[in-house]
Amino acid sequence: MNETLSNPALPAPYTSVWVVIPAYNEQRSVREAVQHVQRYIPNVVVVDDCSKDRTSDEALEGGAHVLRHPINRGQGAALRTGMDYALAKGADVIVHFDADGQMQPEQIPHMVKPVAVGDVDIALGSRFLVDVSNIPPLRRIILKGGIVFTRIISGLNLTDTHNGFRVMNRYAAQKICIVQDRYSHASEILDEIAKHKLRYIEIPVTVTYSDEAMAAARERGQNSFNAIKIAFRVIWGKLLS
Amino acid sequence: MVIQLLISTVALLVIINAIGKLRQKTFTMPIFIIWSSLWVAMGIVVWYPNISNIVANILHVGRGTDAILYISLIVIFYLIFRISARLEKLHQDVTKLTRAVAIASPKEKR
């Protein structure tokens, strides 16, 4: 409960950890997500990607710093906005977290630690290092496809390539360039890790696929078949770059 | 005959339009020359289709119409690629602007 920044496990130079939460139409869950995260990390910035509901107000009530995109630009763009803000605030460590309640805030300190002590530049959450029985079968197949795709495109050997739970140090946050605005940013981040030879580690995390969270994801236009669109965008982005 | 007249009329209108754009300085001279030449060539080919056979022979393609088709496809694909690249750049610029606006006005609970 009180495993906050004062936790002696986190060394003195890394006194500034910021959690970036991109949010789009998350009024139902964002306040709770912010409050849960703040039990562990007090600095939270929510980037409201031009939601049509009360996401900004709810995040503000929850106690987060709130940035609002005047135009919807996608999750990748929102993450980069939050990262730029956190870096300007002097963040030494940045955490990517979701607003939909699927991730477990109590796992943040475990994710932060290897980055904070300087063992790695970036820690990536993996759903496949723990029991995967809670992941819906279709989602599991698509995610496995993503792993193969990433191995071909980036050359990284990971067990989970599209997990939004990440922790990175300031150096990595400055190096990683996200130009893909929509969901293809996950592949792009992995590309950047390979390109800049960032030191990384995968850490087991649990993702809860509650009916409510899955319904909210569908409302936001996420579905398993987006994977094909994402793969196309990644390849197309490489051709255009 | 009908298709020849139709294409010739369209070509003529496009060239007149291009002259107007050149005068308004919307078109630079190189763009005007390329664009007008394309339509003049099209006008000539519809009246004298055998000319395209000369191009076909140079390219070792069976018929003149095939040569035109192949060249058109290459040009169209190239243009689509260029437009996509330009569109992507525009998207990225819009995102940068959006980001700057968002970061300029953060909100915090007092």
Side-chain angles (χ1 to χ4, degrees), chain A residues 60-61 65-71 73 77 80-81 84-85 181 236 240, chain B residues 81 84-85 88 91-92 94-95 98-99 101-103 105-109:
Chain A
L60 205 58
E61 285 301 313
H65 293 230
V66 177
L67 306 174
R68 185 174 157 82
H69 280 176
I71 306 169
R73 301 309 301 153
R80 188 65 253 179
T81 300
D84 284 359
Y85 181 76
D181 291 339
W236 190 238
L240 294 180
Chain B
F81 184 78
S84 297
E88 189 63 33
H91 272 300
Q92 288 172 15
V94 170
T95 300
T98 305
R99 181 167 297 135
V101 171
I103 291 177
S105 50
K107 282 185 194 164
E108 265 181 86
K109 196 176 177 183

Side-chain angles (χ1 to χ4, degrees), chain A residues 154-222:
Chain A
S154 308
L156 292 185
N157 197 2
L158 298 170
T159 59
D160 189 357
T161 53
H162 286 77
N163 192 312
F165 199 171
R166 306 177 193 92
V167 178
M168 63 187 77
N169 61 17
R170 190 176 178 86
Y171 173 75
Q174 286 168 331
K175 283 283 174 192
I176 288 173
C177 176
I178 306 175
V179 292
Q180 299 270 348
D181 291 339
R182 307 283 159 189
Y183 289 105
S184 7
H185 69 273
S187 300
E188 199 176 19
I189 289 173
L190 300 180
D191 256 8
E192 291 287 296
I193 291 172
K195 183 176 157 191
H196 299 293
K197 296 185 170 61
L198 299 174
R199 297 166 304 154
Y200 66 91
I201 189 174
E202 278 192 299
I203 294 176
V205 293
T206 312
V207 173
T208 313
Y209 290 94
S210 66
D211 291 343
E212 198 178 323
M214 293 294 279
R218 276 194 294 275
E219 265 177 41
R220 291 193 303 274
Q222 286 181 35

Side-chain angles (χ1 to χ4, degrees), chain B residues 29-91:
Chain B
M29 187 52 92
I31 296 282
F32 171 76
I33 291 170
I34 294 166
W35 189 235
S36 305
S37 306
L38 194 78
W39 287 94
V40 168
M42 208 180 294
I44 294 169
V45 169
V46 287
W47 287 103
Y48 305 101
N50 288 337
I51 289 177
S52 62
N53 288 336
I54 299 167
V55 182
N57 286 335
I58 295 168
L59 296 174
H60 297 284
V61 180
R63 292 180 306 163
T65 43
D66 290 345
I68 292 171
L69 205 68
Y70 296 148
I71 293 168
S72 306
L73 267 179
I74 292 166
V75 170
I76 288 167
F77 272 121
Y78 174 70
L79 288 179
I80 290 173
F81 184 78
R82 284 288 303 271
I83 290 167
S84 297
R86 186 71 65 87
L87 203 62
E88 189 63 33
K89 173 79 173 54
L90 268 175
H91 272 300

Side-chain angles (χ1 to χ4, degrees), chain B residues 8-28:
Chain B
S8 302
T9 311
V10 170
L12 194 66
L13 289 173
V14 171
I15 292 166
I16 291 168
N17 182 264
I19 293 168
K21 285 186 171 168
L22 182 69
R23 281 185 182 160
Q24 291 163 10
K25 295 192 188 331
T26 312
F27 273 8
T28 57

Side-chain angles (χ1 to χ4, degrees), chain A residues 16-33:
Chain A
S16 184
V17 181
W18 278 77
V19 178
V20 176
I21 304 181
Y24 178 64
N25 292 346
E26 301 276 13
Q27 66 174 7
R28 281 185 291 188
S29 57
V30 71
R31 184 200 289 227
E32 201 180 354

